[in-house]
Amino acid sequence: MRATWKGAISFGLVTIPVQLFTATEEHDIPLRQVHGKDGSRVRMRRVCEAEDVEIPYHEISKGYEAPDGSMIMLSDEDLADLPLPSKKLIDVLAFVDAATIDPLMFSKAYYVGTSDRAAAKPYALLREALTESGQIAVTKIAIRSRESLAVLRVHEDTLVLQTCLWPDEVRPAAGITPEGDVTIRPQELQMARSLMDMLSQDFDLSALHDDYQEALQQVIEARLQGIEPPHGDEEAAPAGGKVIDLMAALENSVRAARESRGESAAADGDTDAEVRTLPVPGNTRKAAAEKAEKAEKKAAAEKKTATAKKSATPARPTQARKATGSTAKKTGASPKETGGKKTTAAKRTAAKTPASRTAATKSTAGSSAKTAGTTRTAKTAAGRTATATAKKTSKRAASA
């Protein structure tokens, strides 16, 4: 690779001999200007207005037209000997955060390489310092008789010099943004964030290529072979001023992004409902925490309400009947009597108490009498058995 500039990087008292190499290139297919009638080349000729003759390139110089119309001649030596402090020197002015320089100011990029072996250590020192700090170096450099603002940054273990526009060369954007207040609904913002997240998945910048150059090459090859070149489908330009449903457009975009990734639009066929519930990058954990907190509060409120209802709810009729029947059985009264006033039920219970005691006494006496009779019967049967046994024994003795 051929070096386009040689000089040194200077920051403080450190000087690093370096050279610059063009870091980018454009893959344009060269097209010539030709005469449409016969295909002959059309050339641009440098013609002197005073002599009306073509001038060779080595006789051409640069000049500045003064306000009065006079021309001030500038030779190559004048331009080469400009009193620039940045001539042959990349002068580091400051180290700033990368976000300080707007990418709108970036112009052309150059790889920075060392000029000799002695520059290896200070080169590596500057590279590591920029890497660890996450900063870039703001510099000035004169290239091709023009001083430019530039930055030094690190790209894949290599220092890169990126020339920049001067701040006054960037036009202001006043009057370009839409006028008036625009209201963005939270649902629209959430849908836009979801679409951004989906389009960013598995994105590979290195896989991108120039479709226009490929299509142009196909047309050229078709013309070389004498066949009809391929034609693209004409797409209608979007109509200006047309009012659209922004939410519907976002939902359709998410659906199209899913289909392009080979995913189904929705498992149950309800794409819109599913799309509206897509998580927002960076807010998923927060939303889940808020949802859990709401569910916990709701459960506590329902539990408190259920407890209050249980304490305030009267006994069911069935339970009341069971309780009344149980009381009636214990006291010997009917359910109707039990259902009366407490005083009446107490009086009736007190009136029936002596009778109950008398019945219990009679029952006990009857049981005692039965027990005594049983004992006597048992004694009589034992006596009879003993007498019969004695008789049998006497007969056996007599026979012997």
Side-chain angles (χ1 to χ4, degrees), residues 60-84:
I60 297 176
S61 299
K62 290 182 173 61
Y64 174 77
E65 185 176 1
D68 59 358
S70 62
M71 190 69 65
I72 300 174
M73 303 296 294
L74 297 172
S75 65
D76 293 339
E77 290 75 13
D78 294 335
L79 298 176
D81 294 335
L82 291 175
L84 290 176

Side-chain angles (χ1 to χ4, degrees), residues 5 8 22 38 61 97 104-105 175 193 195 217 280 284 291 306 356:
W5 184 92
T22 304
D38 53 16
S61 299
D97 293 335
L104 185 64
M105 300 176 63
R193 293 286 303 276
L195 178 59
Q217 188 64 42
V280 178
T284 305
K291 187 176 181 181
S356 301

Side-chain angles (χ1 to χ4, degrees), residues 75-95:
S75 65
D76 293 339
E77 290 75 13
D78 294 335
L79 298 176
D81 294 335
L82 291 175
L84 290 176
S86 59
K87 183 180 178 182
K88 296 297 179 181
L89 186 67
I90 302 175
D91 187 17
V92 176
L93 306 176
F95 295 91

Side-chain angles (χ1 to χ4, degrees), residues 16 38 143 186-187 226-227 252 281 381:
I16 310 173
D38 53 16
I143 301 178
Q187 298 88 342
I227 61 176
N252 293 334

Side-chain angles (χ1 to χ4, degrees), residues 367-377:
S367 299
S368 302
K370 289 181 179 180
T371 304
T374 304
T375 305
R376 291 173 184 172
T377 304

